[in-house]
Amino acid sequence: MAGLRRPAVLCCGEAVADLVPATLADGSAGFRPVAGGAAVNTAITLARLGVPAGFVGGLSDDPMGRMLREQMEAAGVNLALAQRRAEPATLALAHSLPDGTRFDLYDQGSAGRVFDDAPEVPETARALVFGGISLIHDPAATTFEALAAQATDRLIWLDLNIRPGLVTDAVSYRARLSRLMARADVVKLSDEDLAWWGEVPDVRPDQLRILSHGARGATARLGGTEITLPAPSVVVADTVGAGDVLNAGCLAWLWQSDLLETPLSLDRSDLEAMLTHGIRAAALSVTRPGAAAPTREELLTCVP
């Protein structure tokens, strides 16, 4: 990990080349590749917000994989625990729809799906983030679950981030997510996740729950305290990666406040400040194409 700060937060999951709509040099409509995938988006956002972050997962050596590597390195993400693979990168073709951005995902036989070697968690890591398509298919899904089980004294942040179109064995997938929820200190889900899953049980009284409502804001609940905050009104370019940026914004506030620990000890004012930070980060990101995370300076000075 020479040359980069040792990671305080490990973002564990998929690296995806998002192909987002763009106007080409000749004026025609096309697509441009940008870094994507839940773990990549979260890691880049954390790094841009000043948090030492690392990426854990399969990273292809193909042209799209090299683009992902370059963009993470440019942001300052530590890649010492990334597994370099010959398999192709996962691709996601973005479509802008009236109710948000949707993706066609191409993941069969990808470097991310065949990730099969859980690294040893470095001593500096205070939190690990899991979720997304990386928890659907083996061997990657089992590898990430084993990594979460290894980190017994670290904060585990789980974002369900369910992609129903990729789920081929719903029983096994639900069972895996249930086991991870029982271990997690934080469970984040969207309204869409809740619609697919149904009522998610409260498995631990000290578990922080975050429910994102898109343009309507987000809710945080810890113990007997619950708070819902609206999202700022902004002109939306697209909603790519907004949930990942929300996660990173909340994690960054916890790290900067020296509260990134397990079990979490947050009062109502802490919850409000954390959620405000996350919502502001997400609101700024959706004003720009792709998962364009704000910097710490932008978050302090820009009014979304």
Side-chain angles (χ1 to χ4, degrees):
M1 301 181 191
L4 286 175
R5 292 183 294 173
R6 293 180 179 271
V9 180
L10 294 179
C11 301
C12 312
E14 68 269 15
V16 180
D18 285 344
L19 303 177
V20 299
T23 302
L24 304 182
D26 63 1
S28 62
F31 295 87
R32 66 181 179 91
V34 298
V40 171
N41 293 339
T42 305
I44 288 177
T45 304
L46 284 167
R48 287 173 65 84
L49 292 176
V51 182
F55 169 78
V56 181
L59 194 55
S60 176
D61 275 329
D62 72 4
M64 289 299 182
R66 291 196 293 274
M67 178 274 294
L68 287 159
R69 176 178 293 275
E70 289 167 3
Q71 291 200 23
M72 283 193 281
E73 288 177 336
V77 176
N78 194 308
L79 299 180
L81 299 181
Q83 186 184 85
R84 298 184 67 160
R85 309 271 326 189
E87 292 84 0
T90 301
L91 300 179
L93 187 62
H95 304 278
S96 295
L97 300 173
D99 60 344
T101 304
R102 296 291 183 270
F103 292 95
D104 292 332
L105 280 157
Y106 303 91
D107 187 49
Q108 185 70 38
S110 70
R113 188 183 286 201
V114 299
F115 174 66
D116 60 358
D117 186 14
E120 189 170 325
V121 178
E123 292 182 3
T124 56
R126 295 169 60 182
L128 290 83
V129 184
F130 297 92
I133 67 173
S134 62
L135 297 178
I136 298 176
H137 299 289
D138 284 331
T142 295
T143 304
F144 285 120
E145 186 177 359
L147 182 59
Q150 177 199 143
T152 54
D153 57 346
R154 321 297 171 90
L155 183 136
I156 299 295
W157 186 292
L158 175 66
D159 181 0
L160 299 194
N161 203 4
I162 296 166
R163 295 292 180 260
L166 295 181
V167 178
T168 54
D169 183 349
V171 173
S172 175
Y173 179 54
R174 282 176 176 270
R176 177 177 295 112
L177 289 185
S178 293
R179 292 191 298 270
L180 284 166
M181 279 192 280
R183 165 69 184 88
D185 300 281
V186 182
V187 174
K188 184 260 184 185
L189 60 161
S190 66
D191 290 335
E192 292 80 9
D193 293 334
L194 202 55
W196 186 85
W197 185 278
E199 185 63 30
V200 177
D202 288 319
V203 293
R204 286 174 45 193
D206 61 345
Q207 186 178 78
L208 171 62
R209 283 287 175 87
I210 298 176
L211 179 61
S212 61
H213 312 297
R216 295 184 292 110
T219 298
R221 184 175 74 245
L222 179 62
T225 302
E226 180 174 311
I227 185 167
T228 298
L229 298 177
S233 179
V234 297
V235 177
V236 177
D238 65 45
T239 59
V240 175
D244 307 323
V245 176
L246 172 67
N247 287 334
C250 291
L251 278 159
W253 185 89
L254 290 170
W255 183 77
Q256 291 156 7
S257 303
D258 200 25
L259 292 171
L260 194 58
E261 58 189 9
T262 180
L264 283 169
S265 179
L266 307 175
D267 60 23
R268 186 177 185 84
S269 63
D270 294 331
L271 279 179
E272 183 172 359
M274 178 202 70
L275 195 58
T276 297
H277 200 261
I279 289 173
R280 280 178 49 79
L284 283 170
S285 77
V286 303
T287 64
R288 302 179 286 208
T295 64
R296 188 174 183 181
E297 291 71 25
E298 287 175 321
L299 202 54
L300 290 171
T301 59
C302 295
V303 179

